Structure formats: C-alpha cells, structure tokens
Amino acid sequence: MSKRSTTTMAAVAVVCAVTLLTAPGVAHAAPAPPDTPSSSPSGSSGTSEGSGDSGDSGAADGKDSGLESVRKKLDTLYHDAALATEEYNAAEEKADKQSVEIVKLAQKIAAGQRRLDQLKNHAGAAAREQYRTGGVPRAAQFMLSGDPQQFLDNAGRVYQGQQATKNLMKELTGTQKDLAGYAKDASAKWKKLEEGRKEKASAKKRIEKQIKAAQKIESKLEKEERERLRKLEEQAEQKAQTAWLSSGVLKEINGRATKAGKAAVKFATSQIGKPYVWGAEGPRSYDCSGLTSQAWAAAGRPIPRTSQEQWKQLERIDIKDMRPGDLIIYHDDASHVGMYIGDGAIVHAPRPGRTVTIAGAGSMVILGVVRPDA
C-alpha cells in the first residue's frame, strides 16, 4: 500500500513539474439472500402434557433459525465486501502501472526538451553564420573570388553546411513533434490515473460500508450467540466439504507439486495466523488474492494481483488434475481465491475479522481451478 502510494506521489510531482479441512474463521459460503429473521419463540401458558421437552427443542431450533438467518446475512455482506476489495485492488494495480508510465513519459519529455534546446542552439549558430556571409549567391562569390580553387573548396563546405542545417531543422521538427506526443500521452494517462483514484475511493466506501454493517450485526450478539453462530458456520462448511468429498473427487486428484508450487505452498502456509486486511499483500496481513499473488511471487512466478484477473489470465485446469500450488477460484463472480495444498484442503485469507487459515477446498462454491506454473 505505502509503496504504491509513494510511486503515485512521485508521478504526481514529476508530471506537475513538466506539466485442516475445515477450521473456524472461514465465512465464504455461497452467497445467499438473507432469510427473514425468525421471531423469538413465545411461551404458552397452556402447554399440553409432555410438551416440555419439545418446547425446549423448539426454542433451540428457533434460536438456530434466527442465527442461521444472521449467518447468511453476514455471509452476503462479507462476500460483497470481498468483491469490492478485488475491485479496489484492480484499480490500485492499474493506478500503479499508470504512475510508472507517467514517470517514464516525464523522463522522455525532460530528455527531449534538453535535446530541443541543443538543436535550437545549433540552428541559431547556423543562422548567424548565414548572416555573416550576407547571403551572397555562389555565382557572384565565384566572380568576386581571387582564388577559384579556394572558392570551390568553400562552396563544398557551404553545401555540407546547408545539408547539415537541413538535417538539423528536420531533427528539430521531429523532436518538437515527439515532445507534443509525449505530453499528450502523459495527459491521457494522468486522466486515467484520476479515474482510477475515483474507482478506488468508490470501492473503498463500499468495502467499509459492508464491513461496518456486518460488524454492527455481530456486535449485537451475546457471547453465547456468537459461539453458536461460529458453530453454525463450521457446520455449513463441513456440510459443503463433505458433499464435495462424497463426490469422489479426491480419489481422482493425485497431481504432484512442482518445485515452484512447493515454494508457493510453503510461503502461503507460513502466513497462517496473520490477519485478513482488505487490500493488504503482506508481510503482516493479507487479503485473499494478496496472499496467493505474493506466494507465487515468492516462488519466482509473478501472477495477477486480483482473483478475477487470476481467473481470466491463468491457465484453467480440471479439478481432477489439480496439484498443490494451484489456485481455486470461488463464487460466480470470482471474488475469492485459495491455494490448494493437497488432501482436499486450501490455505486462504477468509475475510475481515479472521486470519489466514486452512479450510476444506470444497467448503465454498468452486468456480474453477487455475495454474500459475502451467
């Protein structure tokens, strides 16, 4: 974050100068619209005989039903925050590239201006020389010359000088044209940089809004309710993972990690326990794609920063061909990513309030699998 901010500020200054399988803490189940919260079960003064146990059971079921609605609502909010986070990351990556390009253009403009000044000095010297000769036609100079051979020698030098002047003016015109083009490109990139800044600001607002709404809901829960909610999250993840494993998919997965894949897995798993922070890419905290992109960068294979671009740009493979180090992309909008580490598990940065952890690869809805080192 700070590195990119520094790059952007440098660009601004220059341009202005020139013009295992399941674990608590994973909350990315398939997003679903929140159910209408159930009302608290009311007691009855005229219960029938034998209704005591069923009443307690009904109360528990009622509480779970209400918390399940809360779980789904939180899941939707954090999913939307994750989607906005990836939009923020994409805008930041774009702005970073544009900043570098603006700096390069500014350097070209500065170098071109120095060359233009040199050419103008040479052109001025040529003009002064012509003024000293008085612009006398060569035929007249021949008639007035007392030494025809000396005149012919001088005429040759004059011709060379004229050609040099012609070339000088051509280069002068070309340099001026280049400078105008550089300035136009810098202006266009500056405009895109400003648009990117607005996109980042908009995404940031959406992220903070979703997280704030989720935190508000969680803050109203009692300690016992928060613990029960955590168990419901675990149960949902276990259910999804069990269904995935029951399909027999794990029996078909036997790919071995490459050297780079092992390095990426080693890096990612060494981050376990570090907090999720949206927009972060280490070393103290990560978001989901920040973790995977940095893991593969550490393995010597730079990949796109966001989960959407990882899905778009990296080679897609079948789940049965998956091997440790491959990336599993989740949800229809590719808003989440985790790294497969083998035995049906992934390491990932789940969402705000949680830490980098290991989870079941099938605990969320899988969009597909991509391979950074195809």
Side-chain angles (χ1 to χ4, degrees):
M1 295 284 285
S2 58
K3 177 179 69 178
R4 287 184 171 175
S5 298
T6 302
T7 304
T8 302
M9 291 305 295
V12 171
V14 174
V15 171
C16 289
V18 282
T19 92
L20 242 166
L21 302 191
T22 59
V26 185
H28 275 85
D35 297 337
T36 304
S38 303
S39 355
S40 300
S42 56
S44 172
S45 56
T47 54
S48 58
E49 185 179 354
S51 64
D53 291 342
S54 61
D56 291 342
S57 175
D61 290 343
K63 287 181 181 179
D64 281 356
S65 177
L67 285 174
E68 178 63 14
S69 177
V70 170
R71 185 190 71 78
K72 290 182 178 180
K73 177 64 176 175
L74 289 173
D75 197 53
T76 299
L77 289 170
Y78 281 123
H79 168 267
D80 291 346
L83 182 60
T85 296
E86 293 305 276
E87 291 174 4
Y88 176 93
N89 292 336
E92 184 175 47
E93 186 176 38
K94 214 184 303 181
D96 187 47
K97 290 179 180 177
Q98 287 161 354
S99 297
V100 172
E101 290 173 358
I102 288 173
V103 170
K104 289 179 179 178
L105 282 170
Q107 291 170 342
K108 286 183 178 181
I109 290 172
Q113 188 61 54
R114 288 193 296 270
R115 181 57 181 160
L116 187 63
D117 292 341
Q118 292 174 351
L119 292 171
K120 285 181 176 179
N121 288 336
H122 291 324
R128 288 191 294 274
E129 180 63 26
Q130 185 177 16
Y131 175 78
R132 281 195 296 271
T133 65
V136 179
R138 282 185 291 171
Q141 291 180 29
F142 179 78
M143 296 296 294
L144 296 172
S145 174
D147 186 347
Q149 184 59 47
Q150 183 180 6
F151 167 76
L152 291 174
D153 292 342
N154 290 339
R157 284 193 291 272
V158 169
Y159 176 75
Q160 291 175 353
Q162 288 175 338
Q163 286 299 109
T165 300
K166 183 180 180 180
N167 293 337
L168 177 66
M169 296 308 296
K170 184 178 180 181
E171 186 177 357
L172 183 64
T173 302
T175 300
Q176 288 174 324
K177 186 177 180 180
D178 287 344
L179 281 173
Y182 294 152
K184 185 178 180 180
D185 287 348
S187 178
K189 283 182 169 52
W190 177 254
K191 184 178 179 181
K192 288 183 179 179
L193 188 64
E194 282 297 293
E195 291 172 353
R197 182 189 64 79
K198 291 177 182 178
E199 289 174 2
K200 282 175 59 179
S202 176
K204 180 180 179 181
K205 285 183 180 179
R206 293 199 304 276
I207 295 166
E208 292 175 341
K209 179 181 178 181
Q210 301 298 330
I211 293 176
K212 185 177 181 180
Q215 290 174 338
K216 184 177 180 180
I217 291 173
E218 291 176 312
S219 68
K220 293 180 179 180
L221 298 175
E222 299 291 339
K223 182 179 179 181
E224 181 183 338
E225 290 176 317
R226 287 197 296 272
E227 188 60 33
R228 185 58 189 159
L229 178 63
R230 179 66 68 91
K231 289 181 179 178
L232 288 175
E233 291 174 356
E234 292 177 21
Q235 288 171 6
E237 292 154 14
Q238 289 170 351
K239 183 178 179 180
Q241 175 72 354
T242 299
W244 185 68
L245 294 176
S246 296
S247 68
V249 65
L250 201 59
K251 296 178 182 178
E252 298 180 347
I253 300 174
N254 56 12
R256 294 184 178 181
T258 61
K259 183 178 179 180
K262 289 178 181 178
V265 168
K266 182 179 179 181
F267 179 94
T269 53
S270 67
Q271 311 309 311
I272 289 174
K274 293 184 178 180
Y276 175 105
V277 174
W278 65 266
E281 47 188 328
R284 296 181 179 178
S285 56
Y286 297 88
D287 62 19
C288 67
S289 58
L291 177 65
T292 55
S293 61
Q294 287 301 304
W296 274 103
R301 299 291 182 92
I303 63 173
R305 167 66 174 89
T306 69
S307 56
Q308 285 96 345
E309 289 304 310
Q310 290 169 6
W311 174 241
K312 287 178 184 177
Q313 297 185 34
L314 301 180
E315 182 176 338
R316 299 178 186 181
I317 61 169
D318 291 335
I319 289 180
K320 64 182 179 61
D321 297 324
M322 193 162 55
R323 67 191 185 200
D326 288 342
L327 305 181
I328 303 180
I329 310 296
Y330 294 96
H331 311 310
D332 289 342
D333 50 16
S335 58
H336 191 68
V337 59
M339 178 179 292
Y340 186 64
I341 59 175
D343 295 326
I346 59 167
V347 58
H348 73 147
R351 52 98 157 162
R354 304 295 164 84
T355 61
V356 176
T357 188
I358 291 175
S363 61
M364 296 166 280
V365 178
I366 296 175
L367 176 61
V369 181
V370 293
R371 177 163 291 165
D373 62 338

